[in-house]
Amino acid sequence: MGKKPFVRSREPVMAALIICTALSSGVSALVKKDDIESSLNVIQEVSAQSLGSLCVTEQFRSLTVPIDTLRFESARQKADLAATLLQDLGVAHHNGLQDAISKNILVSDPAVLAARVLAINATNGQLINCAWWQKQGLEMGGPKKVPETVMEAGRRPSADYPWYEDADSSPGLRSPKFIESPPNVSYRGWWTYPYYSCSARRWLMSYSVPIPPPGRRGLKGFLSLDVDISHLQVDQCESGPLTPTNALSIFHGSHKCHNLTTECIFKSAAQVPSWSRGRYECRCRDGYFSTHHGGVFNGTLVEVAWEEHVENSSDTWETIFQCQACAPGCHFCTDPSPCLATFHWPFRITLLSISIFCVFCTLVLNCFMFKHRKLKVFKVASPIFLSITLLGCAFMYLEMGAIFPVLDTYFCIATKWTRHLGFCVTYTALLMKTWRVSLTYRVKSAHKVKLTDKQLLQWMVPILLIMLIYLGTWTLSDTPTAEEIMDNKGLRFKQCVYNWWDHSLAIGEVLFLAWGIRVCYNVRNAESLYNEARLISYAIYNIAIVNILMIAFHLFIFPRAGPDIKYFLGFVRTQLSTTTTIALVFGPKIIRVLSGQGDQWDNRARSRGVTASFSLNGIGLVPEDTPDLFQENEELKEEIQKLAAQIEFMKIVHMEINNRHVKPKAGGYFTTLNTPLAVQSPLAKQLGGKPGEEL
């Protein structure tokens, strides 16, 4: 019975709101913003005690923004219950009931400051009775009944009261004094907008419930209660995890900080009134700085500067209270000083161009070797292993391209793969050739050890497979990333992370280098055609020394070097290890080919007793499936010549010892100076003569 007028009066208002929102949401949002600004101005006047006409000619000042009333749901339910009780029992015959309800039911709620029940004549509108109780505070002993003289005798309450609206002019009690109820909820009464009461010196909200008479005549009632909301806080910052639980959400986002460069920080200081404007600080965001006020601006000053900005009377809001962007890459800064290390791009491009040129040269060299692969100088050195060596060198050169730009995850992956895989391919190919020489050189039996390229590849493939599995597992399980480090000037730049994957692989490579050095040491006295074994040993020694020195440079001499210095050290390491290896292994061969001696045997090595058999077996040939008859004939001829020379030598020496008067025969064994097997007579040695001279 009492709910129908409320619902009936609410429908047109809700319909109007829906239509207004559908037609122009931007206009409604603008109006709401204006309402918030006007409400903030009222709050500022009250908090600054610049009340003007307030509390002089008027005792109340209402805001135009609603607040959440669900926190006062208990008080509202008590008011609805009391209104229902008074409506059922009647207001006219239960004068004492009004006092009991006001004092014991309504004012007893902790949130309620005052409660009143009015009995009004439904015919002439005269005030018959008023039960008004007000809480004076715990120190005053509880609620106190306000004298009825607060209202003029026989007259209805003044329309200036925020909690009262004449039911004759507004039957549904829907006036600008009251806010909309939550959607899908039917209240018996209406909540007022927040208002400041001069008598109470507090911010209040009132809940008013009309009590219709049983018929057309009789007494109609009016119940109202005041809720103290002074403890709520006006938080103008955005809602976040640090937002107080008692903050008024309607004012969120109404601060005047520059959202792009500063952030709003709510101040919950006890000395600052809860209801005050500018109760926040504007702090420079990460990556921004200000030379004014240490980058922390008082919200009250920002509000004043904003008003001057709107009035075009000052540019303080734009110049003083706006932070500036830090230098690129700075997370925190207090001035425009740089935080990132600068890259000297022309210098880096020059080094990269040299490395790319070296890659191109390795490809050209590979094609050159393939074209002349049948020449003895390349054939005895195993062309397949020479090609693998060049492939590994190309990978090592490509590392300079991987570490050229500002490093990220993808370039760090490329860095790890090019560095370690290139080293493994190059070093393993050289080591396999040297290991074959070592095995052949150390054979002490008459049986000749035969290690073909195919057999060496079978040993090389597992080593490369282990490296591939390790790098693949590393990439998938713990993908290499870039981290920021500082140089000696405190400037940051990115470098690939070094963790236990790098350390484990470094230990394995050091052990691998140690084994290679041991193999090279074992073949230090071995003779080979074109001095192949010794040059490869020098290359392996060089790789080990360069890598150890570069590690020492990075860890001890330049631990906090800048990006350009580190790039230069990487270039030096690549050139000293890779380019030197190519020069040692391929330089003499290319010189012999260009001078037209690529298909001639190394007579100097063969004069020291290095046969084609030893050289071809030790240094390696292309894998053989069928015996090479020409090779076998050459080996047999050499062995027969050696044996014949030794027999002749022993026979002549024996004859000269027993017949000292016999002179060497002209054109004999001891006078053939141009043959590689020519020797001097022992008797001639004793007399100091030359071969062929008469004794």
Side-chain angles (χ1 to χ4, degrees), residues 488-547:
N488 50 11
K489 296 181 180 179
L491 301 179
R492 294 183 290 107
F493 66 96
K494 287 189 175 182
Q495 178 179 276
C496 296
V497 176
Y498 286 89
N499 50 27
W500 68 271
W501 289 91
D502 296 270
H503 303 326
S504 301
L505 190 55
I507 293 174
E509 290 177 348
V510 168
L511 296 177
F512 199 29
L513 281 170
W515 180 49
I517 293 174
R518 182 177 181 275
V519 172
C520 293
Y521 181 79
N522 291 335
V523 299
R524 65 190 183 278
N525 296 321
E527 299 290 349
S528 60
L529 286 174
Y530 309 109
N531 209 15
E532 178 82 12
R534 184 168 299 177
L535 293 176
I536 291 178
S537 299
Y538 291 159
I540 293 177
Y541 291 147
N542 175 73
I543 292 175
I545 294 173
V546 168
N547 282 275

Side-chain angles (χ1 to χ4, degrees), residues 436-509:
R436 176 163 57 183
V437 175
S438 175
L439 292 180
T440 307
Y441 177 71
R442 289 185 298 170
V443 171
K444 297 180 180 180
S445 63
H447 179 70
K448 182 175 64 174
V449 177
K450 196 71 173 178
L451 289 176
T452 63
D453 290 346
K454 183 177 180 181
Q455 291 173 319
L456 289 182
L457 287 175
Q458 291 175 351
W459 281 94
M460 183 177 179
V461 168
I463 298 176
L464 298 179
L465 186 60
I466 292 174
M467 177 61 73
L468 291 174
I469 294 175
Y470 188 91
L471 292 175
T473 306
W474 184 1
T475 303
L476 296 177
S477 62
D478 189 10
T479 305
T481 57
E483 64 177 351
E484 289 187 342
I485 62 174
M486 290 187 179
D487 60 8
N488 50 11
K489 296 181 180 179
L491 301 179
R492 294 183 290 107
F493 66 96
K494 287 189 175 182
Q495 178 179 276
C496 296
V497 176
Y498 286 89
N499 50 27
W500 68 271
W501 289 91
D502 296 270
H503 303 326
S504 301
L505 190 55
I507 293 174
E509 290 177 348

Side-chain angles (χ1 to χ4, degrees), residues 621-659:
L621 278 175
V622 179
E624 301 173 350
D625 294 330
T626 59
D628 190 346
L629 298 180
F630 175 78
Q631 173 190 343
E632 296 292 337
N633 291 333
E634 288 292 327
E635 293 176 359
L636 291 175
K637 288 179 181 180
E638 291 178 0
E639 294 294 335
I640 292 173
Q641 289 177 0
K642 288 176 62 177
L643 292 174
Q646 292 176 2
I647 294 173
E648 185 70 16
F649 178 78
M650 296 301 298
K651 182 178 14 177
I652 295 175
V653 169
H654 182 72
M655 182 184 65
E656 285 188 351
I657 291 175
N658 297 325
N659 302 280

